[in-house]
Amino acid sequence: MTRQPSSARRIASARRIASVLAGAVVMALLVGVLPAHAAPGGQARPRARATAAVDAMMKFYDPASGRWDPEAPWWQSGNALQALLDYMSKTGSTRYMPQVKNTIKEQRKPLPWWPEGGGEFRADSTDDTGWWALAMIRMYDLTRDRQYLDIAKTGAEYIHKYWDDTCGGGVWWDIPNKSYKNAISLELHFKLLASLHNRVPGDRTYLERAKQAWRWFAGSGMINSAGLVNDGLQTQSGSCASNHGTTWTYNQGVVLGGLAELYKATGDRGLLTSARRIADAVIASPELSPKGILTEPCEPAGTCNSDQAAFKGIFARNLDELDRVVPGHPYRGYLRTQADSLYAHGRDGQNQYGLSWKGPFDRADISRQDSAVSLFVAVL
């Protein structure tokens, strides 16, 4: 056999090494070994987007208080906690579990502005308690530690204390004055009740209360002729009629998650029909989805406050929960459109996100960021 000259052997060997290295790079791209941000077209993969948004959200975290921006409204730390726990649930990441446990430890203490609540997230408004109690449901789902389920039960009983016969039912929003019955407190209440039923073996009480709450809400007049949810009733003036208040996106959202939980509990497909009517009304609304992008009613006038800036992410979270129980997943495309738009047009160079999901980026704060996190987690 003829032997190649040594120089020829070296050239052939170099070519083989180059070929192997090229093949390795191709395989790395195919299986995702290279960093997630190296996806085709320069677009980060959904998990990478969500992770980067979570990491940016954690820059707002204050370990001393266990809150995300202690100057922001208290409920928003409960909402940020929910967004983080949803991310952990979907990805399996436990990187921020120490911060989660620190938040629960610090914030379950009696509140300085409402010590009569006795702690365990019992606040002076029923919706504030509801946000934190639902976060405890997700913490229980992650850990299976019953102490978190017990905190959620405590919250549910606390909110139920403020159900009475005024306007035929419903819970009061403002505990000290009992002047307003609104959509968000009731929606959080029945979502929490249905969630507890689905996690407490042999329960009947939570289920019956959840069904009662949904029946009252459906007949309250707060769902208007367009299929959208107004803010509340005219209880401040002594009337039980709808106040035809602003159709905030979070009021359209939490009811969807509540109906999804209640459907899981009962198998009643009529609940999905009701939920889809509201979800479809949002998507068809020229005010709430102009050109297909979710928009808060306050955005065009530039009047959104720090609470309202968080609302759209809550809608996305709950629309995802509905989409997961509806055959064919009809809302997946809408959610992906929102995520693609926000990522492309509403982001700064540090993976912080602004108010508008169609852009441009305006400024960063915890309400804008946890809203973005909930959106990116919704499409995972």
Side-chain angles (χ1 to χ4, degrees):
M1 185 172 78
T2 303
R3 296 177 59 85
Q4 289 180 309
S6 60
S7 59
R9 288 198 301 272
R10 287 196 297 271
I11 292 170
S13 176
R15 285 173 177 169
R16 285 194 297 273
I17 292 169
S19 176
V20 170
L21 289 174
V25 170
V26 170
M27 287 303 297
L29 286 169
L30 289 174
V31 302
V33 172
L34 291 183
H37 62 266
Q43 290 290 309
R45 297 186 181 96
R47 176 163 175 169
R49 292 183 187 180
T51 300
V54 167
D55 290 345
M57 184 178 77
M58 294 307 294
K59 293 178 182 177
F60 292 96
Y61 188 73
D62 173 49
S65 65
R67 290 173 60 174
W68 283 263
D69 184 1
E71 300 303 313
W74 180 68
W75 77 274
Q76 288 188 15
S77 283
N79 189 47
L81 178 62
Q82 176 81 60
L84 178 58
L85 289 169
D86 287 346
Y87 168 80
M88 294 168 66
S89 178
K90 284 195 174 186
T91 65
S93 172
T94 58
R95 183 157 56 105
Y96 290 119
M97 185 60 80
Q99 289 88 339
V100 166
K101 290 183 176 180
N102 179 59
T103 292
I104 296 170
K105 177 176 72 74
E106 293 300 325
Q107 293 304 310
R108 70 187 292 193
K109 298 173 182 177
L111 299 170
W113 68 90
W114 192 246
E116 52 263 57
E120 305 294 50
F121 309 109
R122 287 173 287 189
D124 57 348
S125 56
T126 51
D127 62 334
D128 282 6
T129 296
W131 297 114
W132 288 92
L134 284 170
M136 294 304 97
I137 292 285
R138 185 66 72 242
M139 185 62 170
Y140 169 73
D141 290 344
L142 272 171
T143 64
R144 292 294 159 180
D145 186 332
R146 291 192 62 85
Q147 70 166 314
Y148 303 115
L149 194 64
D150 289 341
I151 296 173
K153 290 179 181 179
T154 298
E157 290 300 324
Y158 182 71
I159 296 170
H160 189 71
K161 282 172 53 179
Y162 300 101
W163 177 289
D164 65 18
D165 292 333
T166 300
C167 298
V171 295
W172 292 104
W173 168 67
D174 53 333
I175 289 172
N177 299 320
K178 295 183 182 176
S179 66
Y180 190 36
K181 289 193 173 182
N182 66 357
I184 195 60
S185 288
L186 194 284
E187 292 173 349
L188 290 164
H189 185 44
F190 93 80
K191 182 179 182 182
L192 176 59
L193 291 168
S195 298
L196 283 169
H197 169 76
N198 289 335
R199 292 159 177 82
V200 177
D203 166 71
R204 296 300 304 172
T205 300
Y206 295 129
L207 178 60
E208 290 308 313
R209 287 179 180 176
K211 290 160 68 174
Q212 177 191 31
W214 165 243
R215 286 194 301 267
W216 179 83
F217 183 71
S220 69
M222 281 188 276
I223 304 175
N224 65 30
S225 59
L228 297 171
V229 180
N230 293 122
D231 193 66
L233 303 180
Q234 298 178 40
T235 39
Q236 294 99 327
S237 64
S239 170
C240 290
S242 171
N243 62 11
H244 304 292
T246 304
T247 53
W248 304 113
T249 59
Y250 81 150
N251 279 332
Q252 320 311 312
V254 176
V255 64
L256 306 182
L259 287 169
E261 285 287 347
L262 197 52
Y263 167 72
K264 292 177 190 176
T266 65
D268 180 358
R269 298 192 67 83
L271 298 169
L272 297 185
T273 300
S274 296
R276 293 202 64 178
R277 188 176 298 120
I278 295 169
D280 292 348
V282 172
I283 293 171
S285 169
E287 180 185 30
L288 298 183
S289 291
K291 298 182 179 180
I293 301 301
L294 190 66
T295 301
E296 206 60 49
C298 55
E299 284 184 48
T303 58
C304 296
N305 63 27
S306 58
D307 285 335
Q308 294 149 9
F311 289 174
K312 289 182 296 185
I314 295 165
F315 177 82
R317 174 193 307 151
N318 286 275
L319 184 63
D320 172 44
E321 291 173 8
L322 173 65
D323 188 69
R324 290 177 181 277
V325 298
V326 175
H329 308 298
Y331 302 111
R332 192 68 10 196
Y334 179 81
L335 286 167
R336 286 173 178 159
T337 295
Q338 310 312 306
D340 289 345
S341 179
L342 179 57
Y343 183 80
H345 305 296
R347 177 172 58 110
D348 72 359
Q350 298 177 321
N351 289 299
Q352 295 178 320
Y353 291 88
L355 174 65
S356 173
W357 287 5
K358 66 178 184 297
F361 175 84
D362 56 350
R363 62 184 177 84
D365 60 26
I366 185 55
S367 56
R368 286 162 168 78
Q369 193 68 22
D370 67 42
S371 184
V373 168
S374 286
L375 173 60
F376 292 131
V377 169
V379 298
L380 293 180

